[in-house]
Amino acid sequence: MDSVLKADSVAKVNDAAFTLGDNAYMEGTEVQFNTCFGQTWGSATRRIMARIHPSPGNHEYLTVGANPYYKYFGASAGPAGKGYYSYDVGEWHVVVLNSEMVVNSGFSIGDRKAQEDWLTADLKSKSKPCTLAYWHHPRFSSGYHGSDVSLQPLWQILYDNNVDLIMNGHDHDYERFKPQTPQGVLDTLRGIPEIVAGTGGEELRGFGGKVIRNSVYQIEGRAGVLKLTLGKAEYRAAFIESNGRVWDPSGGKCH
C-alpha cells in the first residue's frame, strides 16, 4: 500500500483516512486484500477501515478490472469500475481520481473523457471553500518512476478550478513540491502544491541523486504516513515516520 493519510478539520473534528493506490501487493487479489490489507489497516476493529476513502493504483489493475479492490472497499471506493468520486471533510471538498484511466492503455479515450467531464462538473458544483485532490501516479516526481506528463490534463482542470493541494503515491518515497502550474512553472499565486507519499509498506526506493525543479523536500528509505490538518482556510501537513518521528512540517492557505 502506498500511503494512508489522516485528515482533521480544526473547525469540527472529523477524522478520515485515505490511500494513494497500490493497496495490496502484488496483484490486488481478493486473497491479498484479506491477508495483507485486512491484517493491518483493515483489521478486525474496523475503526480505521470505516473511515478509509481509497484510490486505486496500477497494482490493483494487475487483476482484471481491479474487481477485488472494488469488492473489498465497496461503496467507500465510489462507483464500481470507475474509481473516481468525491466527498467532504470539514470545510474541504476532496476529489479522488483514477489515474489508471489516464496511463493504462486498456482504458478508452471515452473513459478518460468521462472522468475529465465528471471532474469539471464536480468542481463547479462543490460548496466547500477549499479543495484537495488525490490519486496514484504523480504528475511531478524526482523518484524512480518520475514525472508523468499524461496527467497534465487533469492537473489543468484542477488548476483552472483553484484546487489547493494534490497528493499522489506510486514512487516509494516522500517528496513535496512548491506551488506549480500544470506545466511545472513556479506559481505562488494560483499554483498547486503536490506531495508524493508512497511510503506505506512496499520496498522503499531512493532518488538516485536527481531532484527536479520546484521539489522542496525529499525523504527516502523511511516508512510512514502523512498527517493533514484541514482547517477553514488553510492546511498543515507532516510526514510521520513509523517510529513516530515527525518530518517536514509544512502548510499553506486556500486560494
Side-chain angles (χ1 to χ4, degrees):
M1 182 185 67
D2 268 351
S3 188
V4 172
L5 315 177
K6 179 180 170 62
D8 306 297
S9 167
V10 297
K12 178 181 178 182
V13 175
N14 292 290
D15 290 342
F18 43 107
T19 74
L20 298 175
D22 288 359
N23 299 269
Y25 271 72
M26 289 287 295
E27 296 86 16
T29 65
E30 184 173 355
V31 170
Q32 289 164 357
F33 268 103
N34 290 331
T35 60
C36 179
F37 197 97
Q39 298 302 313
T40 53
W41 300 103
S43 63
T45 65
R46 313 297 281 184
R47 186 174 65 87
I48 296 177
M49 183 65 178
R51 298 175 179 179
I52 287 179
H53 302 273
S55 66
N58 55 296
H59 281 266
E60 275 79 18
Y61 280 92
L62 294 178
T63 297
V64 177
N67 292 326
Y69 164 82
Y70 291 108
K71 179 180 178 181
Y72 186 81
F73 288 112
S76 296
K82 291 186 177 180
Y84 53 87
Y85 61 99
S86 64
Y87 61 98
D88 293 333
V89 177
E91 296 298 314
W92 284 68
H93 184 64
V94 184
V95 174
V96 185
L97 298 175
N98 185 351
S99 58
E100 276 294 292
M101 285 192 171
V102 179
V103 306
N104 188 332
S105 61
F107 287 93
S108 69
I109 294 175
D111 292 327
R112 298 183 187 100
K113 186 176 186 306
Q115 179 171 229
E116 292 175 1
D117 290 346
W118 171 88
L119 175 60
T120 300
D122 181 82
L123 293 174
K124 294 295 185 185
S125 64
K126 72 182 181 70
S127 59
K128 301 297 183 178
C130 303
T131 308
L132 163 72
Y134 64 88
W135 63 88
H136 186 57
H137 302 80
R139 165 68 183 92
F140 303 102
S141 173
S142 303
Y144 176 82
H145 292 293
S147 303
D148 195 329
V149 70
S150 67
L151 277 304
Q152 188 166 316
L154 290 180
W155 254 77
Q156 190 66 55
I157 295 171
L158 298 170
Y159 179 83
D160 290 343
N161 286 275
N162 296 311
V163 167
D164 301 290
L165 180 63
I166 289 175
M167 320 292 296
N168 302 121
H170 198 43
D171 269 325
H172 301 177
D173 53 48
Y174 170 91
E175 186 171 22
R176 179 167 60 88
F177 287 85
K178 296 177 182 179
Q180 302 181 84
T181 70
Q183 295 76 30
V185 177
L186 180 66
D187 181 352
T188 58
L189 182 63
R190 294 188 55 221
I192 310 175
E194 177 199 280
I195 300 178
V196 177
T199 55
E202 182 51 28
E203 177 186 7
L204 299 171
R205 301 190 181 107
F207 294 95
K210 63 165 186 169
V211 175
I212 65 173
R213 180 175 58 182
N214 295 326
S215 175
V216 68
Y217 203 98
Q218 311 87 35
I219 302 172
E220 58 184 42
R222 307 279 180 173
V225 300
L226 187 69
K227 181 179 180 179
L228 296 179
T229 302
L230 302 177
K232 188 173 183 179
E234 62 183 5
Y235 69 90
R236 297 192 302 275
F239 178 75
I240 312 298
E241 194 179 346
S242 56
N243 62 10
R245 180 177 177 181
V246 178
W247 296 75
D248 190 33
S250 63
K253 296 186 179 298
C254 298
H255 291 120

